Amino acid sequence: MGQREQRSVITGAGSGLGAAMAHRLAQSGYRVGLVDIDAERADAVLQEIIGRGGSGFAFPMDVTKEAAWGQLKSEVERHWGGLDLLVNNAGVAAAGRLEDTSLADWRWIIETDLMSVVLGCHAFLPLLRSQGSGHIVNVASFAGMTPVPEVSAYVTAKAAVVALSEQIRVDLADSGVGVSVVCPAYVQTRLLETFRSADPGHRKMAGRWMEKSAVSAEDVAEDVFRAVERNRFLVLTHPETRWLWRFRRW
């Protein structure tokens, strides 16, 4: 995939990994559609990108709403006439064992972390197929590839995103549309702002792991960019997770 005049949409683009990916894509000539539930954050990132010579639009949206995806697709077609890259990045987190996590929190996690990816792919796959080109990036987590104690809902949703991405990749064989799934470990983002858990210790531990991480959002964005350029499926962003994945496969 070339770097000039490519058209991209990134969900959760108002902060963290989404904002870093938007900046990295804009830097390489992509036009960026910045989707976020927080309109001010999305617009702030857009203004930064425009200030650096990039272009795009901001689109405030709840990624769990099917109708909103239809509206976003219409906006993309109105602005650009097509799409080259969809990044399903928006997500939330919760901690707790299965029985300690409320059913409301289970639904919240599944709707946001899994069903938003389903909705995004469902909305844009027909367009990408008809073009015979494009790429989908689904942001999961390394927690979706190996069990993590007391993170039942999050692990379940992210594991499903990995499985969904594998299935889409098979279904898109020979279509000209690529698929990548990104499985980062801890990265310093704003994820804890919406983090849910009945045990305050979970938040503190997650915060400590984030602070200790040597991998930044910009590092992840670079890995994602390279994966899209090379049509690489699995993106493991942390050196320790690459070794863990090899060991588990062995």
Side-chain angles (χ1 to χ4, degrees):
M1 186 181 293
Q3 295 182 4
R4 287 191 174 274
E5 294 302 305
Q6 298 295 302
R7 304 154 296 183
S8 64
V9 163
I10 308 103
T11 67
S15 64
L17 295 183
M21 284 187 274
H23 277 288
R24 180 62 183 88
L25 291 168
Q27 177 187 331
S28 294
Y30 278 77
R31 290 171 282 179
V32 291
L34 306 173
V35 176
D36 201 278
I37 198 167
D38 189 317
E40 291 185 1
R41 286 183 180 178
D43 190 62
V45 175
L46 176 62
Q47 295 310 314
E48 291 171 358
I49 287 171
I50 291 174
R52 296 174 184 176
S55 66
F57 66 90
F59 193 83
M61 171 178 144
D62 182 342
V63 294
T64 68
K65 304 301 182 184
E66 181 180 354
W69 280 101
Q71 293 163 3
L72 174 62
K73 182 184 177 186
S74 296
E75 190 77 356
V76 166
E77 291 176 323
R78 184 176 72 83
H79 275 278
W80 299 329
L83 187 69
D84 300 295
L85 176 60
L86 170 66
V87 182
N88 288 306
N89 166 73
V92 293
R97 294 174 297 185
L98 187 152
E99 69 274 22
D100 297 328
T101 303
S102 72
L103 292 180
D105 283 355
W106 268 95
R107 294 186 185 98
W108 178 65
I109 287 284
I110 297 299
E111 287 292 326
T112 308
D113 289 6
L114 172 58
M115 287 307 300
S116 72
V117 178
V118 173
L119 291 171
C121 293
H122 194 272
F124 281 99
L125 266 177
L127 175 62
L128 299 180
R129 277 188 184 276
S130 68
Q131 294 175 170
S133 65
H135 202 99
I136 296 171
V137 173
N138 295 329
V139 178
S141 167
F142 193 68
M145 305 190 76
T146 188
V148 177
E150 299 187 22
V151 198
S152 295
Y154 185 75
V155 165
T156 301
K158 293 301 188 180
V161 171
V162 175
L164 173 66
S165 302
E166 290 176 327
Q167 183 61 46
I168 293 172
R169 185 175 182 235
V170 170
D171 290 344
L172 287 171
D174 301 321
S175 70
V177 181
V179 179
S180 299
V181 63
V182 187
C183 297
Y186 285 102
V187 179
Q188 288 196 43
T189 66
R190 287 177 161 173
L191 192 64
L192 290 182
E193 289 183 4
T194 55
F195 183 88
R196 296 183 184 181
S197 175
D199 182 351
H202 288 144
R203 179 187 292 274
K204 291 179 182 177
M205 180 167 289
R208 285 197 296 269
W209 281 107
M210 281 184 166
E211 290 173 3
K212 290 180 180 179
S213 177
V215 176
S216 68
E218 289 71 25
D219 294 330
V220 175
E222 184 63 32
D223 285 341
V224 171
F225 180 80
R226 291 177 180 176
V228 172
E229 292 296 292
R230 299 169 186 175
N231 194 21
R232 190 169 77 247
F233 175 66
L234 180 61
V235 185
L236 297 175
T237 61
H238 291 55
E240 62 271 25
T241 63
R242 296 180 196 124
W243 284 108
L244 286 168
W245 174 236
R246 292 189 187 102
F247 181 75
R248 187 173 183 188
R249 288 190 67 187
W250 178 79

